[in-house]
Amino acid sequence: MRFQQTAPLTREGSGVLPNLIPDIENRVRKLPKPATYSQALQPLFEAVSNALYAIEDREAVEAGHSGQVKIDIYHLSDPSKFRVEIADNGIGLDSDRYKAFQTIDTDFKRKRGGKGVGRLFWLDAFEHIRVESAYLEGDELKQRCFSFALCNEEQIVELELVDGYDGRKEVGTTIVCEGLRGASYQKAFPKQRDTFLRYFSAHFIADFLVGGGASVHVNLDGDFTSYPEAVADLVVDGDLKTGAFEIEDYGTFSIDGFACEKEASTGLDGNHQLHLLANGRTVETRKVDGLMGLATVSANGRDDLLFHGCVSSEYLDERVNEGRTAFNLPESILKEISRKCVEHIRVTVLADQMEGYIAKRRSNYDEFVSRHPIYGFEDPEVQLDRVPFNAQTPEQFATGLVKYQIRRDEDRQNAIEDVITLLNSGDDVTESFATQLQAAVEGVQSSEQLALAQHVVRRKLVLDLMGKLLNRVRIRDGKHDDFHLEKTLHSFIVPMYVMGNDAAEKRPRAHDLWILDERLAFTRAFSSDKRFDALMKSSDNHDRSDLVVWDFASGLGVIDPYRNDAAVDTSQPLDKVMIVEFKKPGRTHYGPEDQIHFQITKYIDELRGGEIEGFERQRIRISPDCVFYCYVVADIEGDLKRQLSTWSKSANGQGRFMPLQGDVNGSIEVIQWQDLVNDAWARNEATLYAARLQRG
């Protein structure tokens, strides 16, 4: 624009300069400073909103008017050179609107949510501001030009056109803002074209989605984008309107819904979006993926679309802040409104799609509880209401339910403690005591049943997998992955290369030694595939035993580091130790060096009379007359069958047994792999039956 400053002009007959209220500088200084792209762009968005309002005003008196807003931005990446021109063909700054411009906190646009302070944000954001407007007074076209500055005197200085420039020839207004003011705006204002367009589109998306308004053309340093075309092209179905509905305590709401291409959510947090409007303008956009449940929505033969909903209500209109950057509402209320809106969307415009999703979600939950019965402590519908609506995986179900499980356990524990306290107090027992006691007992029984079910389901899974793994190892005998499968079988029962009692061990120490012996279910006093010089004090033997166990159940001569009150007497040496060797299933070749008796007695000689390092680095002596319970798990066939031909048969006739005599106390028992699995199934038969499970 070409204009120059003249002497300050007075208002007609008043002798008063057209100034705003005093101390404008202080008022602007107290405005909240931006910390995000969205906040830094708000002054520019206010100017664009004013342009759209001006077009709406002109359309109200001029039927068929085609509104346009042109936004030209230069030097977006350089705060000092930044320049934006916003030109509209709206109604212009006539006398009434110019008076409103000069009045801070004017209610001129109150019905549209205007707070009368948007211009103060311009002063806060931009170094230089100029306004040129053409308007009709009767049938006469008039012009108005002025600068707008941050100062306490003469903020509005009217300008006259310079020679050679006749001003606007069409009704409308042009605002020019140059230079970003202050470190906050300079830092937070977006400097990339794509970033600017993402936030611009998100802010005005309600206007562009609904359509029927003005055209907006953005020129960013020579790159042009037109709206609503840029957004409308992303809409596959724009007829997902809920109509008016009530939300208790908050009044009447309505939602205009759209099924959009995925690009419509580019730059936004999440996929499905809810745009909360105030007076037709987006104030907040909220991700609602968790509330929607559906990963995508379907429309017009497509099933890969995202949902955008524009929410309108008088309640929100009346509770937007003066900068129209947020609602003056607690987050809890905004969350509740968003939840209620999405729930209404689910039962109206997306009802058909939700039916299939809900059925699939229920099926996933039932499968989850069958694998993890401990979470089935309430009816399925109650439990599903407790987790996010988009929860479909075991981890998501467990995450949502674990807090309720803890609360339930705490309530049950408190109920039991209350009963015990009453019994210990000696106070009179009331008539309600029997009911109180019964409730506590039922709570314990219910908890035990769930815990047992969880325990049994896991054991069944382990034994099923164990059987399949055995078959796979036999089938793959001699193949390239044969050795890896053999190691996998060992690690399946107990992890390799670990000392179970070493608290500093970084490898996992969890095991399933109950498959061998129920007494080993919780032991950590074991060495798995570790060299004897790592297990024993004063040993330089590099041989490895597959498994050595020296604590059958309750810690014979060892200290559990997880029990602070443990004070176990280690003065007495160990008198029982278990040695286990695993031989590959299906193995038939055993050479002279593979004699079972020789291998086991060699290990015993290394252990007997030595010392094992127990918990807290305490040394545990092994008695010279220690009894060694030695087990070899193998398939008795081929060379091994001939090797064991003179040994006694086990009770079932399938295994082999030999007592150790002479200087060594104990025995060696060879157990067939299948018998090992069968015995484990038999030991768990009663609990499997109670849980209505059967062997796979």
Side-chain angles (χ1 to χ4, degrees):
M1 288 184 290
R2 308 174 192 87
F3 37 73
Q4 63 184 10
Q5 183 171 336
T6 63
L9 300 179
T10 62
R11 295 176 184 168
E12 293 182 6
S14 67
V16 179
L17 291 173
N19 291 333
L20 300 178
I21 61 173
D23 210 0
I24 293 298
E25 292 184 61
N26 188 48
R27 176 76 183 274
V28 170
R29 185 168 56 251
K30 291 181 178 180
L31 290 175
K33 301 303 181 257
T36 65
Y37 290 147
S38 180
Q39 293 168 354
L41 285 166
Q42 197 59 39
L44 188 151
F45 292 161
E46 280 293 325
V48 176
S49 293
N50 287 345
L52 295 173
Y53 286 142
I55 290 171
E56 290 175 3
D57 287 346
R58 185 172 179 183
E59 290 172 344
V61 297
E62 188 177 323
H65 175 67
S66 179
Q68 287 194 357
V69 179
K70 295 182 179 179
I71 305 171
D72 295 301
I73 298 175
Y74 307 96
H75 307 296
L76 179 65
S77 61
D78 188 339
S80 63
K81 296 181 180 179
F82 175 81
R83 174 187 172 95
V84 58
E85 296 183 11
I86 301 169
D88 66 69
N89 62 349
I91 202 163
L93 276 174
D94 58 21
S95 298
D96 290 340
R97 288 170 174 78
Y98 187 43
K99 181 178 179 181
F101 186 94
Q102 299 173 54
T103 305
I104 298 299
D105 299 315
T106 177
D107 60 1
F108 188 78
K109 297 178 183 176
R110 182 179 179 183
K111 292 182 179 180
R112 291 166 166 167
K115 304 294 183 178
V117 297
R119 300 173 308 291
L120 297 185
F121 283 91
W122 300 358
L123 295 175
D124 195 32
F126 304 113
E127 292 283 359
H128 307 287
I129 303 166
R130 296 190 299 276
V131 180
E132 179 185 0
S133 185
Y135 58 96
L136 290 175
E137 194 171 277
D139 293 330
E140 182 181 357
L141 182 70
K142 293 200 170 184
Q143 298 171 335
R144 175 175 280 120
C145 301
F146 59 89
S147 64
F148 188 38
L150 177 59
C151 54
N152 283 332
E153 299 290 338
E154 301 182 12
Q155 300 92 358
I156 297 174
V157 178
E158 296 186 349
L159 308 171
E160 65 178 16
L161 300 176
V162 298
D163 293 340
Y165 177 61
D166 296 332
R168 287 187 64 118
K169 299 300 183 183
E170 296 180 354
V171 173
T173 301
T174 301
I175 301 171
V176 179
C177 302
E178 296 179 297
L180 293 174
R181 182 193 299 276
S184 297
Y185 279 97
Q186 292 174 4
K187 181 178 181 180
F189 206 88
K191 298 175 177 58
Q192 301 296 323
R193 173 184 178 275
D194 290 346
T195 304
F196 176 89
L197 290 176
R198 281 203 308 269
Y199 281 87
F200 183 86
S201 299
H203 186 82
F204 293 102
I205 192 167
D207 305 86
F208 301 144
L209 283 175
V210 174
S215 298
V216 179
H217 306 281
V218 179
N219 168 21
L220 260 171
D221 288 320
D223 290 327
F224 293 87
T225 305
S226 294
Y227 296 92
E229 292 82 2
V231 170
D233 289 346
L234 302 176
V235 177
V236 177
D237 186 353
D239 193 27
L240 302 177
K241 296 176 173 60
T242 65
F245 63 96
E246 296 294 316
I247 298 180
E248 187 177 359
D249 296 331
Y250 308 120
T252 303
F253 285 72
S254 65
I255 303 170
D256 288 341
F258 304 85
C260 301
E261 302 281 4
K262 292 181 178 180
E263 289 78 7
S265 295
T266 300
L268 299 175
D269 182 20
N271 294 321
H272 303 300
Q273 308 293 333
L274 209 60
H275 307 285
L276 304 182
L277 313 184
N279 305 287
R281 297 284 181 261
T282 302
V283 177
E284 287 192 19
T285 295
R286 292 187 163 235
K287 174 181 72 174
V288 291
D289 297 355
L291 296 172
M292 286 286 288
L294 294 170
T296 58
V297 298
S298 301
N300 295 338
R302 298 274 300 277
D303 61 0
D304 58 346
L305 306 173
L306 302 181
F307 185 85
H308 283 250
C310 301
V311 180
S312 301
S313 81
E314 186 176 336
Y315 182 85
L316 295 177
D317 292 345
E318 295 173 349
R319 289 165 176 82
V320 65
N321 68 7
E322 66 176 9
R324 279 181 282 186
T325 59
F327 292 103
N328 295 320
L329 290 169
E331 176 63 16
S332 59
I333 291 180
L334 290 171
K335 282 186 175 181
E336 183 178 0
I337 289 174
S338 298
R339 179 174 59 83
K340 292 291 187 181
C341 286
V342 175
E343 287 176 355
H344 192 74
I345 291 168
R346 295 199 313 241
V347 299
T348 53
V349 295
L350 297 180
D352 292 341
Q353 298 179 50
M354 285 297 166
E355 184 176 344
Y357 171 79
I358 291 171
K360 176 63 175 175
R361 182 170 180 255
R362 172 60 188 269
S363 176
N364 290 346
Y365 172 79
D366 290 342
E367 176 67 18
F368 162 71
V369 172
S370 72
R371 290 176 173 268
H372 306 279
I374 198 169
Y375 291 102
F377 51 85
E378 293 283 0
D379 291 337
E381 295 307 321
V382 173
Q383 298 293 70
L384 285 170
D385 283 343
R386 287 171 166 171
V387 300
F389 191 70
N390 69 333
Q392 294 192 76
T393 67
E395 183 175 338
Q396 290 170 333
F397 288 136
T399 300
L401 293 175
V402 67
K403 64 180 179 182
Y404 296 99
Q405 181 189 22
I406 292 173
R407 292 173 189 170
R408 179 176 174 275
D409 291 343
E410 287 293 316
D411 290 343
R412 186 186 65 250
Q413 182 71 20
N414 292 336
I416 295 172
E417 291 176 355
D418 289 344
V419 171
I420 294 173
T421 300
L422 178 60
L423 293 174
N424 289 336
S425 67
D427 295 341
D428 292 338
V429 176
T430 64
E431 293 182 1
S432 64
F433 175 75
T435 302
Q436 184 179 359
L437 178 60
Q438 183 64 27
V441 171
E442 289 176 354
V444 172
Q445 291 173 340
S446 175
S447 177
E448 287 177 343
Q449 290 170 355
L450 290 172
L452 176 62
Q454 181 77 16
H455 170 77
V456 172
V457 166
R458 185 189 178 280
R459 286 204 167 187
K460 178 184 182 300
L461 182 64
V462 168
L463 292 176
D464 281 339
L465 183 55
M466 182 79 176
K468 290 179 172 56
L469 188 56
L470 281 172
N471 291 334
R472 181 61 184 269
V473 173
R474 292 190 181 104
I475 292 171
R476 300 296 297 175
D477 184 31
K479 303 297 191 297
H480 71 280
D481 58 356
D482 183 37
F483 174 69
H484 299 297
L485 285 170
E486 184 179 358
K487 289 178 62 178
T488 300
L489 187 58
H490 181 146
S491 299
F492 184 80
I493 299 173
V494 59
M496 299 178 69
Y497 317 122
V498 300
M499 291 278 288
N501 66 327
D502 186 358
E505 176 62 68
K506 295 182 179 179
R507 296 185 182 92
R509 292 176 289 160
H511 60 76
D512 285 297
L513 288 173
W514 57 269
I515 296 174
L516 296 173
D517 191 318
E518 289 293 343
R519 294 174 296 173
L520 305 181
F522 304 105
T523 186
R524 284 182 291 113
F526 68 86
S527 169
S528 176
D529 206 52
K530 295 284 284 187
R531 293 181 357 183
F532 280 106
D533 56 0
L535 171 65
M536 307 293 296
K537 293 294 182 181
S538 305
S539 173
D540 57 2
N541 191 331
H542 293 182
D543 288 342
R544 301 171 184 266
S545 173
D546 283 349
L547 178 66
V548 176
V549 182
W550 59 92
D551 174 17
F552 282 84
S554 56
L556 300 175
V558 298
I559 293 177
D560 186 340
Y562 295 102
R563 289 184 55 199
N564 296 328
D565 59 343
V568 178
D569 180 13
T570 59
S571 61
Q572 298 299 317
L574 289 174
D575 59 3
K576 291 187 284 292
V577 168
M578 177 187 286
I579 298 175
V580 181
E581 278 293 305
F582 300 112
K583 302 301 181 182
K584 189 186 74 172
R587 178 179 173 181
T588 59
H589 176 69
Y590 289 80
E593 72 282 0
D594 297 322
Q595 293 293 314
I596 297 296
H597 180 267
F598 173 77
Q599 183 180 18
I600 295 297
T601 54
K602 183 173 65 171
Y603 293 160
I604 292 174
D605 288 341
E606 187 67 30
L607 291 168
R608 194 173 50 159
E611 291 181 336
I612 294 176
E613 190 174 86
F615 295 115
E616 296 185 350
R617 302 296 181 184
Q618 292 201 25
R619 295 186 179 187
I620 307 168
R621 293 179 297 146
I622 301 176
S623 172
D625 58 355
C626 176
V627 179
F628 290 91
Y629 300 90
C630 307
Y631 298 93
V632 178
V633 185
D635 285 342
I636 302 177
E637 54 187 43
D639 294 338
L640 184 59
K641 185 174 183 179
R642 288 187 290 272
Q643 184 185 140
L644 304 178
S645 61
T646 60
W647 291 32
S648 301
K649 289 187 176 182
S650 58
N652 68 354
Q654 300 301 313
R656 298 293 185 270
F657 178 85
M658 185 182 75
L660 296 172
Q661 299 175 345
D663 294 335
V664 180
N665 296 323
S667 62
I668 304 175
E669 182 175 358
V670 181
I671 304 171
Q672 301 232 50
W673 277 106
Q674 194 58 55
D675 288 338
L676 181 71
V677 176
N678 290 341
D679 288 346
W681 277 111
R683 291 196 306 272
N684 289 272
E685 184 176 5
T687 51
L688 286 167
Y689 178 80
R692 298 181 181 180
L693 298 173
Q694 59 183 0
R695 184 170 180 175

